[in-house]
Amino acid sequence: GQQVMQIPQYQHVQEGEDFTTYCNSSTTLSNIQWYKQRPGGHPVFLIQLVKSGEVKKQKRLTFQFGEAKKNSSLHITATQTTDVGTYFCAGSNNDMRFGAGTRLTVKP
Amino acid sequence: DGGITQSPKYLFRKEGQNVTLSCEQNLNHDAMYWYRQDPGQGLRLIYYSQIVNDFQKGDIAEGYSVSREKKESFPLTVTSAQKNPTAFYLCASSLGLWGYEQYFGPGTRLTVT
């Protein structure tokens, strides 16, 4: 069945540095979603990508969907302490699979 | 306010007891899901329901049971057959099945000793 791998598992950055997390699927996806879970909280939807090669931006966050629709990335420019949390990707085809998440910590 | 609620937030049980976790949504969503999250890990799907009176097993359904008698409600029972029940349980709902934005409840942290 479909599997979604996400790396890195952890990332610790200095405030102001950039951050990127990557997702790779074993199969072609119909779409991919990204979620953020703050410490002690629940996942909150950030964005959905559907088209091959799609790039979407939300302020300092840039989301990309690969040309083959098998990989995706989330890039945060100039991290802030409010970016702390775990970022999950979730790929859909005939079902939906979450990556294991990347836990981001930011040192002020 | 539209949203999805779970209760209780924390639950403590003795080994060998069944326990039921509540999940209610007023978003008029057809699809509902139960996930389990262990420390430092992602979300693993326990059960999902596309429509009232229908539900399907996810990847880790053993030791769990659900019902979907009403559109708004999707309770999860953790039975004594579940070998490692201590975890954070998240309920979610969406307009349709797969590929739709999922709205998550605040979660229930279950501790079994």
Side-chain angles (χ1 to χ4, degrees), chain B residues 41-87:
Chain B
Q41 295 195 27
L43 306 176
R44 292 187 290 169
L45 184 64
I46 306 172
Y47 267 98
Y48 63 95
S49 169
Q50 187 172 7
I51 201 166
V52 175
N53 292 322
D54 181 65
F55 50 83
Q56 304 294 329
K57 292 181 179 180
D59 296 324
I60 56 165
E62 186 175 346
Y64 299 98
S65 66
V66 293
S67 62
R68 186 87 187 274
E69 296 174 4
K70 297 187 299 181
K71 188 175 186 177
E72 303 79 22
S73 179
F74 191 40
L76 172 74
T77 297
V78 185
T79 75
S80 55
Q82 168 49 233
K83 291 180 180 153
N84 296 298
T86 295

Side-chain angles (χ1 to χ4, degrees), chain A residues 2-8 21-24 32-35 37 86-91 96-102, chain B residues 37 40-44:
Chain A
Q2 177 200 161
Q3 292 200 12
V4 175
M5 309 299 291
Q6 189 173 355
I7 56 169
T21 174
Y22 301 90
C23 264
N24 284 288
I32 195 159
Q33 298 177 1
W34 285 92
Y35 292 79
Q37 184 176 21
T86 301
Y87 293 85
F88 293 98
C89 61
M96 186 158 139
R97 297 296 172 118
F98 280 81
T102 296
Chain B
Q37 186 174 36
Q41 295 195 27
L43 306 176
R44 292 187 290 169

Side-chain angles (χ1 to χ4, degrees), chain B:
Chain B
D1 277 341
I4 181 165
T5 58
Q6 291 183 243
S7 60
K9 187 163 185 167
Y10 298 95
L11 193 53
F12 297 88
R13 280 293 182 270
K14 293 288 185 188
E15 213 172 281
Q17 293 179 334
N18 290 356
V19 59
T20 298
L21 311 185
S22 164
C23 177
E24 304 277 332
Q25 55 98 0
N26 61 4
L27 299 167
N28 201 32
H29 285 170
D30 283 318
M32 296 188 75
Y33 316 81
W34 274 104
Y35 293 95
R36 170 181 172 138
Q37 186 174 36
D38 293 286
Q41 295 195 27
L43 306 176
R44 292 187 290 169
L45 184 64
I46 306 172
Y47 267 98
Y48 63 95
S49 169
Q50 187 172 7
I51 201 166
V52 175
N53 292 322
D54 181 65
F55 50 83
Q56 304 294 329
K57 292 181 179 180
D59 296 324
I60 56 165
E62 186 175 346
Y64 299 98
S65 66
V66 293
S67 62
R68 186 87 187 274
E69 296 174 4
K70 297 187 299 181
K71 188 175 186 177
E72 303 79 22
S73 179
F74 191 40
L76 172 74
T77 297
V78 185
T79 75
S80 55
Q82 168 49 233
K83 291 180 180 153
N84 296 298
T86 295
F88 187 47
Y89 291 89
L90 286 158
C91 179
S93 70
S94 60
L95 271 173
L97 192 63
W98 315 134
Y100 290 83
E101 173 183 350
Q102 291 193 8
Y103 292 74
F104 284 83
T108 293
R109 196 166 295 278
L110 173 65
T111 302
V112 177
T113 56

